[in-house]
Amino acid sequence: MPGDVEPLSPTDDLMEMVVGGCTAQAIYTAARLGIADVLAEGPRTADEIAVEVEAHPDGVYRLLRALTTRSIFAEQPGKRFALTPMADALRSDAPNSVRALVLMAGHPITWETWGQLTHSVVTGEPAFWKLRGMRVFEYLARDEEYADLFNQAMTFSSSIEIPTILEAYDFSRFSTIVDVGGGQGRLLAAILQATPEAKGILVDIESVTASAPPVLAEAGVADRCAIQSGSFFDAVPTGGDAYVLKHVLHDWPEAKATEILRSVRASIGESGELLLVALVLPEDDAPHLGKVVDLDLLLEFGGRHRTTEEYRRLLAGAGFELRRVVPTAGAASVVEAVPA
C-alpha cells in the first residue's frame, strides 16, 4: 500500500548490526565528555555544549546528530539538543545512571580486547592475557583508574539486579547466609534487610572487603554480618545453611570453577543449600543477553556462561545435585543445588 515502508533486506539488517559498534563508541564518547550532564540544565546548541566539555563544535554537532537517530538526545529547532529518556540515563547523577557501565564497555582497553576476538575464537585463550600479559584481576590490582571504573560498573549492575533476585527468591528460611565472593556485600546487605532474623558472612579477598563496612553499615545490617577476608580457593567458612555465589563461577574455566565449588562443598553442611546467581543460557537459539556477554568472558577471563545441563554436570563434579533453576525478571536466574 502507498506509504508502507519496505522491510529491510537481510543485507540491510546485517549492515545495521555492523554499524552497531560505531553507535556504541558514539555513546561512550558522549558519556566520557559528560554531555548529558551539561544538558541536564536544558537544551543547548552544539557550540554551547562544546565550550562546556572542551571539544570541537563541529565534532560535537556531528556526534549528537548521529545519536539522535537512535533516540539518544533530540535535536530541536535552531540546532539545539535536549535530553531524551535514554540520554538522561547517561547523566552521572541520574537515579539509574548507566554511565559507569558505558564507560567500562567503551574504554580503550575493553575496545582493544574485543578487537582480538578472532584470536580467542581460534585459540580458545583470553585475548586480555595476550594483550596485557596477565589475568584481569591481576591487572585491576595494578591499574587504579581502570579498577575504579570496573568496580563502578559492577556496582551499577548489582543495583539493577538485586531487586529482581529478592522478588524471585525467598531467603527467609535461612538463618546464616554465606556470600562467597560477595564483593562489597551489596547483595548480602539487601538479603539481610529482607530477612531480619538472619545473620550473614561476607567472603572475598581483603582488597575488596576493605570497602564493605560502610555498605553494610548504611544498610543497617553491620551488626548481623561478619566479614572474612581470603580466597575462596583456600577456604570457605563453615556454619552457613545457605551459600550464595553471585556471578562468580562464570569468571573461571571449568577446572577452577570446580575447585571453587569443591571448596564450598567441604564447608557446607549436609542440610545446607548452594545458590548460584548466574545467567543461565537457553538450550535453543532463543535470544539471551548471556550469549553475547559470554564472548566477553571468553575474551577477558577464560570463563563462560552455562546452560542448565552444563550447570548440572559442573555441580555433580563437585558433589552437588542441581535441584531447580529459578528465573528472575532480569537476565539472571538462581540455580539451587544441595549436597549430593
Side-chain angles (χ1 to χ4, degrees), residues 137 150-151 154-155 158 178-189 201-216 225-230 232 244-248:
F137 293 115
F150 178 87
N151 290 332
M154 295 306 100
T155 297
S158 290
V178 183
D179 191 353
V180 181
Q184 297 173 329
R186 296 183 187 280
L187 173 61
L188 184 55
I201 303 174
L202 177 65
V203 183
D204 214 317
I205 58 175
E206 187 173 2
S207 61
V208 176
T209 58
S211 55
V215 173
L216 300 173
C225 188
I227 299 175
Q228 179 171 312
S229 298
F232 42 55
V244 179
L245 283 77
K246 175 177 174 286
H247 298 318
V248 171

Side-chain angles (χ1 to χ4, degrees), residues 11-24:
T11 300
D12 291 332
D13 280 336
L14 185 59
M15 289 305 299
E16 186 75 9
M17 295 179 192
V18 169
V19 300
C22 303
T23 301

Side-chain angles (χ1 to χ4, degrees), residues 10-335:
T11 300
D12 291 332
D13 280 336
L14 185 59
M15 289 305 299
E16 186 75 9
M17 295 179 192
V18 169
V19 300
C22 303
T23 301
Q25 272 296 301
I27 297 170
Y28 166 78
T29 300
R32 183 176 179 184
L33 292 176
I35 291 175
D37 286 346
V38 173
L39 293 179
E41 300 177 3
R44 302 277 190 91
T45 66
D47 287 10
E48 292 170 334
I49 297 168
V51 171
E52 293 286 340
V53 302
E54 299 181 349
H56 192 281
D58 183 59
V60 170
Y61 175 75
R62 293 164 70 178
L63 173 68
L64 293 178
R65 180 179 62 183
L67 289 174
T68 60
T69 67
R70 303 290 188 177
S71 299
I72 306 170
F73 304 104
E75 187 171 0
Q76 299 178 342
K79 294 187 176 181
R80 293 166 65 82
F81 291 91
L83 293 176
T84 60
M86 281 195 286
D88 190 69
L90 292 176
R91 290 191 297 113
S92 58
D93 59 350
N96 290 312
S97 174
V98 300
R99 186 170 184 263
L101 197 61
V102 169
L103 292 177
M104 183 69 195
H107 194 282
I109 290 177
T110 307
W111 204 245
E112 183 182 14
T113 305
W114 269 91
Q116 294 292 319
L117 180 58
T118 302
H119 167 81
S120 290
V121 170
V122 170
T123 66
E125 295 292 328
F128 190 96
W129 302 359
K130 171 191 172 187
L131 292 169
R132 307 296 160 192
M134 64 188 76
R135 295 178 182 270
V136 174
F137 293 115
E138 293 178 80
Y139 185 80
L140 291 174
R142 302 185 184 198
D143 188 330
E144 185 175 343
E145 182 268 334
Y146 192 63
D148 183 59
L149 191 57
F150 178 87
N151 290 332
Q152 288 181 47
M154 295 306 100
T155 297
F156 164 75
S157 297
S158 290
S159 70
I160 61 174
E161 193 173 56
I162 288 172
T164 67
I165 296 169
L166 295 179
E167 289 170 6
Y169 197 86
D170 181 13
F171 292 88
S172 63
R173 68 182 184 277
F174 302 119
S175 59
T176 302
I177 300 160
V178 183
D179 191 353
V180 181
Q184 297 173 329
R186 296 183 187 280
L187 173 61
L188 184 55
I191 293 173
L192 293 179
Q193 283 181 320
T195 54
E197 301 301 319
K199 294 182 180 180
I201 303 174
L202 177 65
V203 183
D204 214 317
I205 58 175
E206 187 173 2
S207 61
V208 176
T209 58
S211 55
V215 173
L216 300 173
E218 184 179 354
V221 299
D223 61 330
R224 291 189 285 129
C225 188
I227 299 175
Q228 179 171 312
S229 298
S231 170
F232 42 55
F233 287 110
D234 297 331
V236 171
T238 58
D241 52 354
Y243 286 75
V244 179
L245 283 77
K246 175 177 174 286
H247 298 318
V248 171
L249 297 183
H250 71 211
D251 286 340
W252 303 94
E254 214 73 1
K256 285 294 186 181
T258 299
E259 191 177 333
I260 295 168
L261 288 173
R262 286 176 177 166
S263 183
V264 176
R265 183 64 182 87
S267 298
I268 194 172
E270 291 306 311
S271 61
E273 296 185 28
L274 172 65
L275 308 173
L276 307 177
V277 177
L279 301 188
V280 180
L281 303 182
E283 301 281 355
D284 56 21
D285 62 355
H288 193 283
L289 173 66
K291 293 182 179 180
V292 177
V293 178
D294 181 62
L295 291 177
D296 191 63
L297 296 176
L298 169 63
L299 279 164
E300 299 200 58
F301 297 94
R304 66 189 309 122
H305 286 309
R306 298 172 173 86
T307 64
T308 296
E309 288 308 308
E310 287 171 337
Y311 269 112
R312 192 184 307 278
R313 291 194 295 270
L314 179 67
L315 288 162
F320 288 98
E321 177 185 350
L322 190 152
R323 188 155 64 184
R324 61 174 178 152
V325 175
V326 181
T328 73
S333 297
V334 180
V335 179

